[in-house]
């Protein structure tokens, strides 16, 4: 069991407290990755139950300072400490996040980040053929999430693994998704979360295991001015997220 899982699973017990103390000694931020938060049970792709997400929120409140992803990148750029920092992220843009997770984020006063594959806005998660489809937020719903403090960032366009794309397609995925999001939402898009944690031809950026996902800065910051158009492949990996499914 990883240190992160020990913390989340044992938040109220001795194991969780010990793991938390070990985590606090590290100059590293806790970056949590969520997908679906929903009550229904699907044995092939179980969502995180709302009650468990609520417990995560309460535990994080008592142990960490939840910061924006832009602040995390700024701390890394300037060599500032990351101790005690947490960033909450959500992949794929599921509508259930707006309907179920957002009220808890608002109640706890947490900023968050949602990574959205732009080809599927207003549609469903048909990109995961072996998993049950779920509705993806439309543009109006994404704007509503923004108003409540959720930064909308890129999960590329087509949600394909970058290792399956040639350099021209990779460029199109990064630049195209950034342009669409900025045009529709009127806010800077500075960070890409690779679909499936697959960065393609950058082996040094490959996640350490299947449950960690690298993030890439593609220019600008997530709450400032849009970055200049150009290839995000020359960006900087700002962190690895730990899947918060326990």
């Amino acid at each position: 069991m990883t240190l992160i899982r020990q913390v989340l699973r044992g938040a109220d017990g001795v194991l969780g407290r010990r793991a938390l103390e070990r985590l606090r000694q590290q100059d590293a931020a806790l970056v949590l990755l969520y997908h679906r938060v929903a009550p229904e049970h699907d044995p092939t792709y179980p969502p995180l139950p709302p009650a468990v997400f609520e417990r995560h929120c309460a535990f994080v409140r008592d142990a960490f300072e939840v910061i924006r992803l832009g602040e995390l990148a700024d701390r890394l750029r300037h060599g500032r400490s990351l101790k005690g920092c947490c960033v909450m992220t959500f992949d794929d843009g599921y509508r259930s996040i707006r309907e179920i997770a957002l009220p808890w984020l608002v109640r706890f006063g947490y900023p968050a980040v949602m990574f959205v594959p732009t080809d599927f806005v207003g549609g469903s998660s048909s990109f995961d053929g072996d998993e049950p489809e779920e509705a993806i937020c439309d543009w109006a719903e994404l704007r509503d999430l923004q108003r409540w403090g959720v930064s909308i960032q890129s999960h590329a366009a087509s949600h394909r693994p970058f290792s399956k794309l040639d350099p021209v397609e990779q460029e199109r995925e990064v630049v195209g998704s950034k342009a669409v999001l900025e045009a529709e939402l009127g806010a800077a898009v500075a960070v890409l979360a690779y679909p499936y944690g697959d960065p393609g031809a950058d082996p040094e950026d490959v996640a350490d295991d299947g449950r960690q996902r690298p993030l890439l800065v593609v220019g600008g910051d997530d709450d400032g001015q849009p970055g200049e158009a150009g290839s995000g492949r020359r960006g900087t990996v700002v962190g690895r997220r730990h899947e918060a499914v326990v």
Side-chain angles (χ1 to χ4, degrees):
M1 186 187 299
T2 67
L3 180 61
I4 305 302
R5 283 178 168 273
Q6 289 176 18
V7 169
L8 291 176
R9 281 186 172 177
D12 299 323
V14 173
L15 177 62
R17 289 195 296 271
R18 289 176 177 172
L20 174 60
E21 190 58 34
R22 289 170 56 200
L23 189 63
R24 282 174 167 166
Q25 296 305 313
Q26 301 178 17
D27 188 10
L30 175 62
V31 186
L32 297 175
L33 161 61
Y34 297 91
H35 282 90
R36 303 165 69 207
V37 177
E40 70 268 17
H41 176 68
D42 187 318
T44 62
Y45 186 44
L48 190 73
V52 175
F53 181 70
E54 179 189 358
R55 289 200 298 271
H56 285 191
C57 288
F59 175 65
V60 165
R61 175 193 59 197
D62 296 335
F64 298 93
E65 176 190 2
V66 179
I67 63 173
R68 296 175 296 102
L69 186 59
E71 182 176 343
L72 172 65
D74 185 69
R75 285 173 180 255
L76 287 166
R77 291 190 195 104
H78 296 94
R80 296 164 55 201
S81 175
L82 301 176
K83 284 185 179 181
C85 294
C86 176
V87 178
M88 304 186 75
T89 75
F90 299 86
D91 274 10
D92 299 335
Y94 291 117
R95 182 170 291 156
S96 63
I97 300 303
R98 176 180 175 271
E99 295 174 344
I100 298 174
L102 179 61
W104 290 111
L105 293 173
V106 172
R107 178 173 298 184
F108 283 89
Y110 293 158
V113 187
M114 176 180 279
F115 295 100
V116 179
T118 52
D119 287 355
F120 297 91
V121 172
S124 65
S125 55
S126 57
F127 46 80
D128 282 330
D130 296 332
E131 297 170 352
E133 289 190 27
E134 183 174 332
I136 303 295
C137 289
D138 59 27
W139 292 113
E141 290 166 328
L142 293 176
R143 293 185 191 101
D144 188 51
L145 283 161
Q146 275 188 326
R147 285 192 288 271
W148 288 105
V150 179
S151 173
I152 309 300
Q153 299 291 309
S154 174
H155 205 29
S158 65
H159 204 282
R160 290 180 291 169
F162 271 39
S163 60
K164 303 294 186 183
L165 307 177
D166 62 37
V168 173
E169 291 175 310
Q170 291 175 0
E171 179 95 0
R172 187 179 302 120
E173 290 279 328
V174 174
V175 177
S177 62
K178 173 180 169 66
V180 169
L181 288 168
E182 290 183 343
E184 290 285 348
L185 302 177
V189 172
V191 182
L192 168 75
Y194 294 107
Y196 308 107
D198 179 353
D202 292 336
E204 68 273 18
D205 291 347
V206 175
D208 297 334
D209 62 55
R211 304 187 76 80
Q212 294 187 41
R213 312 294 174 89
L215 302 175
L216 182 73
V217 172
V218 298
D221 60 69
D222 73 346
D223 62 347
Q225 296 301 313
E228 296 180 2
S231 175
R233 306 295 293 164
R234 296 189 292 274
T236 302
V237 172
V238 298
R240 299 185 190 278
R241 299 176 295 158
H242 298 267
E243 189 115 21
V245 177
V246 298

